[in-house]
Amino acid sequence: MSLSTDTIGVVVVTFRRQVQLQRTLKAILGQGILGHHIWVINNDKNDNLDYLKNEIGLDLLNIIVSEENIASAGGFALGMKCVLEKGLDWVWLFNDDSRPIEGSLESILRYKEILEKPRAGMVKLANLNAKGEAILQFWKGRRFPKYVPVSNDLIKTDLITFDGCLISSNLIREIGTCDPKYFMGTYEFDYCLRAKDHEFEIFTLPNGLIEDEKAGSIGGTPPWRQYYNTRNHLWLGLNRRSAKTVLAWLVRELKFTYAILRWEDKKGERLKIKVLATWHALRGKRGKTLDPILFSNGTKNLN
């Protein structure tokens, strides 16, 4: 396993964010990544991204158009397969609204000797909170954040999110890609737990060298996203037969239910969705069971 700009394949999952996507691709090119080592997974088949090849000079850019919206979980899984088939050693993952800041890759390459070891599975550039602290993530049946000062220290953690994360091909070969049936949310935590089951190491570099616009969080959490958060967390606990995770899910859901009753709009709709999500998790129903676009347009396609 070699770690260099020539052995990294980059995957960017996008859905109707052309402006953010262009910024992200330009930032990735600025790290020295080769154009033909970049895969854009386009989840909107009606959004033609071919203009990118002329717009920013990416003649060799790989654009893969999904026939349906497979969301972030499906997009990253598809991208992982593409990089593996290309024979590259690492896959660097980004959402279309997150991108590396100048010096990001260089800061990771400083730890080549550690990251090239066989059981080094993932390394993540940490996101920052509103106070400018780096966010480390650990697992206690749920995501448990820890906030530390920005530094260049490579720190072992339990969890990472995929935006700005490098994953070794060794890990993907051994445990497969992330699970596309999560559709959206929780798939990253599931992947980290599976990696740790196989004794792979997970690192976070808390230097703040990643920009995250958080475009999907503008206006708060929509009801359809709450459905996937509720369903996937419970299913993860049931699938792993983890009483700790199920208990953490229950406590979390009670808190969110209280918040809905106290502060949220569309109380009845949100509570109905949470009940449906719980029922689906108990039945093992997975995949895209609620279409975000149709739901946002007023079509309540609850199955």
Side-chain angles (χ1 to χ4, degrees):
M1 291 290 294
S2 173
L3 178 56
S4 70
T5 54
D6 295 336
T7 62
I8 296 172
V10 178
V11 174
V12 183
V13 178
T14 188
F15 185 83
R16 298 183 184 175
R17 290 185 188 145
Q18 292 189 359
V19 173
Q20 291 90 341
L21 177 61
Q22 287 188 63
R23 291 176 186 157
T24 296
L25 291 173
K26 289 178 180 178
I28 292 167
L29 286 172
Q31 304 294 314
I33 298 295
L34 304 173
H36 64 283
H37 282 183
I38 301 174
W39 283 262
V40 175
I41 311 299
N42 183 9
N43 272 323
D44 183 7
K45 65 180 181 181
N46 296 316
D47 187 10
N48 190 338
L49 298 181
D50 287 341
Y51 74 93
L52 286 171
K53 297 186 177 182
N54 296 323
E55 186 76 16
I56 57 178
L58 285 174
D59 295 335
L60 300 176
L61 178 68
N62 303 288
I63 298 177
I64 298 178
V65 181
S66 176
E67 284 301 309
E68 63 173 325
N69 182 7
I70 55 178
S72 50
F76 284 131
L78 178 57
M80 287 179 178
K81 289 180 181 177
C82 292
V83 174
L84 210 62
E85 290 172 358
K86 187 73 173 181
L88 300 174
D89 290 342
W90 293 86
V91 53
W92 202 6
L93 304 176
F94 288 97
N95 295 310
D96 52 15
D97 61 345
S98 64
R99 60 195 62 93
I101 295 173
E102 183 179 354
S104 294
L105 185 54
E106 181 182 353
S107 72
I108 295 173
L109 294 178
R110 292 175 189 153
Y111 294 94
K112 278 172 59 75
E113 290 186 7
I114 296 174
L115 298 175
E116 288 179 345
K117 293 180 179 179
R119 306 316 286 180
M122 292 184 270
V123 58
K124 154 82 175 172
L125 292 166
N127 298 89
L128 302 182
N129 65 8
K131 297 179 180 179
E133 300 167 313
I135 305 171
L136 308 181
Q137 302 193 68
F138 299 89
W139 184 252
K140 296 184 178 181
R142 64 174 178 83
R143 181 182 71 90
F144 187 81
K146 180 180 178 182
Y147 306 103
V148 300
V150 170
S151 74
N152 287 311
D153 298 329
L154 193 66
I155 301 172
K156 285 187 180 182
T157 49
D158 294 334
L159 303 176
I160 50 85
T161 53
F162 277 7
D163 52 323
C165 170
L166 270 167
I167 301 179
S168 76
S169 294
N170 281 343
L171 174 58
I172 301 172
R173 290 189 190 94
E174 189 159 328
I175 73 171
T177 69
C178 60
D179 186 348
K181 290 186 179 180
Y182 278 100
F183 189 67
M184 183 172 294
T186 313
Y187 61 90
E188 297 150 310
F189 302 154
D190 170 72
Y191 199 73
C192 291
L193 293 173
R194 286 161 52 199
K196 292 182 74 68
D197 288 343
H198 288 253
E199 300 182 343
F200 278 90
E201 293 179 312
I202 299 171
F203 299 95
T204 300
L205 188 55
N207 58 15
L209 294 181
I210 181 173
E211 178 184 22
D212 187 358
E213 292 187 39
K214 298 186 183 299
S217 301
I218 296 174
T221 304
W224 62 262
R225 190 181 289 272
Q226 290 180 334
Y227 164 86
Y228 287 106
N229 290 341
T230 296
R231 185 196 72 177
N232 291 343
H233 189 182
L234 177 56
W235 189 88
L236 174 66
L238 295 173
N239 183 57
R240 293 183 66 85
R241 299 181 181 178
S242 170
K244 183 178 181 180
T245 300
V246 173
L247 178 60
W249 170 86
L250 179 60
V251 171
R252 180 178 180 273
E253 288 302 313
L254 288 173
K255 290 180 178 178
F256 274 101
T257 298
Y258 174 78
I260 289 172
L261 293 172
R262 184 73 185 272
W263 294 293
E264 294 278 13
D265 62 350
K266 303 178 181 179
K267 300 183 192 303
E269 181 177 83
R270 291 180 188 274
L271 292 174
K272 179 182 177 182
I273 284 176
K274 282 194 170 291
V275 170
L276 182 70
T278 302
W279 174 239
H280 282 178
L282 292 171
R283 290 176 56 199
K285 192 166 186 177
R286 309 186 64 216
K288 185 172 72 171
T289 52
L290 190 157
D291 189 302
I293 299 302
L294 292 178
F295 190 90
S296 298
N297 289 339
T299 303
K300 305 299 188 291
N301 59 325
L302 303 179
N303 297 319

